[in-house]
Amino acid sequence: MDVITIGDGMITFDPASKGPLRFVGQFQRKIGGAELNVMLGCARLGLRSGWISRLGKDEFGRHIVNTVRGEGVDVSEVKLEEGYATSLNFKEVQESGAGRTFYYRLPSPTETLTPDTLPEDYIKQAKILHVTGVFPAIQPQNREVILRAMQIAKENGVKVSFDPNIRLRLWSKEEARQTMLTYLPYVDYLLTGREELEILFDSENDGFLREKLGGYSFEQVIMKDGDKGSAVLQNGSWKHVAGFPVAKVVDTVGAGDGFDSGFLYGTLQNWPVERSLQFANAIGAMVVQVSGDNEGLPYLEEVEGFLGQRETIER
Ligand code: KDG
């Protein structure tokens, strides 16, 4: 495997109309999950990607696993658990366009994955383990699972990529900070946003944040900056790589996951980091133009077309 992850998967219900969720009668069924989105993105780029997960043994669990398998992600470490319901995520879109998320994900089938039942051999054979702050936020016992997975990776020369992905609907800033600070010593590639960095180190002072980051042994620290692009920390300062202008932003959810898949792809090609960031920025810009958490994740040739490296023929 090139990249593997550990994460929850969920059915996402997109409302057919705007306004308070309690008045919405029709929804479109889709799938989502931060870590799962990254693996879908990696698979579409041609990477051998694998997903460690636990879903409910129900119709929704079957739908998710079949879809992910169909996208080319290895699901040999996905188990459907009897007695659990697959996680659900209902989205609300207000008249202003702002959105809210309502999760139904407890008790979580992920509680059947413990540090002792982690598939060690599966982790050991991967080139990169990509994990995020969503899985440990679902329930306290998941925190140890990610820590143990990172330790297995480190002990076996597997690179660790980490996206804090802080979801304040799932845990408090304090819980997120305390947990993630235990993860950082194991991380090779930190893929974060500025707000997440501020939560992580409890400060808005950029100099202080850069100093804190310098205290770890990261191989790359990447900061995602929305439509402005992204930056890499080099010799104590941020080096920015510009983003791509987008005519119409339709849905920003999943853009960060797409960015992560692009960064991981470039890293596995041994590209200079600036090239990986340009590629990842392009994917972020492509994802925001499509509705859905993962529908906009492009195939490799589509990114090349977007970057003008390949002729795009439409008809
Ligand atoms: O990054 C996008 C994900 O957040 C989304 O697909 C599902 O809310 C979600 C989650 O908790 O993973």
Side-chain angles (χ1 to χ4, degrees), residues 8 10 12 31-35 37 89 101 103 105 134 165 167 170 253-254 257 293-294:
D8 194 17
M10 67 195 70
T12 296
I31 69 169
E35 299 91 351
N37 297 338
N89 174 9
T101 283
Y103 291 124
R105 58 198 311 185
V134 175
N165 254 335
R167 300 279 184 271
L170 295 175
V253 177
D257 302 331
D293 296 5
N294 44 56

Side-chain angles (χ1 to χ4, degrees), residues 266-308:
T267 301
L268 284 163
Q269 312 308 308
N270 293 316
W271 287 348
V273 66
E274 292 83 355
R275 182 172 174 198
S276 297
L277 294 193
Q278 191 206 33
F279 185 83
N281 289 347
I283 296 182
M286 295 175 84
V287 170
V288 299
Q289 297 183 63
V290 182
S291 161
D293 296 5
N294 44 56
E295 285 82 340
L297 293 165
Y299 287 91
L300 181 59
E301 51 272 30
E302 291 174 323
V303 195
E304 290 169 347
F306 183 92
L307 289 169

Side-chain angles (χ1 to χ4, degrees), residues 101-173:
T101 283
F102 297 87
Y103 291 124
Y104 293 81
R105 58 198 311 185
L106 287 176
S108 169
T110 63
E111 74 185 25
T112 62
L113 186 64
T114 62
D116 298 336
T117 56
L118 267 174
E120 280 204 37
D121 290 341
Y122 194 73
I123 297 173
K124 283 180 192 168
Q125 52 76 46
K127 292 183 185 153
I128 300 178
L129 168 72
H130 174 78
V131 279
T132 93
V134 175
F135 188 84
I138 300 168
Q139 53 190 350
Q141 57 265 50
N142 285 7
R143 297 175 198 170
E144 272 301 305
V145 174
I146 295 301
L147 188 64
R148 182 69 200 123
M150 285 178 159
Q151 286 165 347
I152 296 169
K154 266 275 128 106
E155 285 157 15
N156 291 281
V158 177
K159 298 284 186 192
V160 175
S161 154
F162 180 64
D163 183 336
N165 254 335
I166 299 177
R167 300 279 184 271
L168 294 176
R169 276 230 180 242
L170 295 175
W171 57 358
S172 68
K173 288 182 183 176

Side-chain angles (χ1 to χ4, degrees), residues 62-77:
R62 290 187 186 104
H63 171 65
I64 294 174
V65 81
N66 290 346
T67 306
V68 175
R69 183 191 295 112
E71 291 275 352
V73 176
D74 181 73
V75 293
S76 56
E77 288 300 336

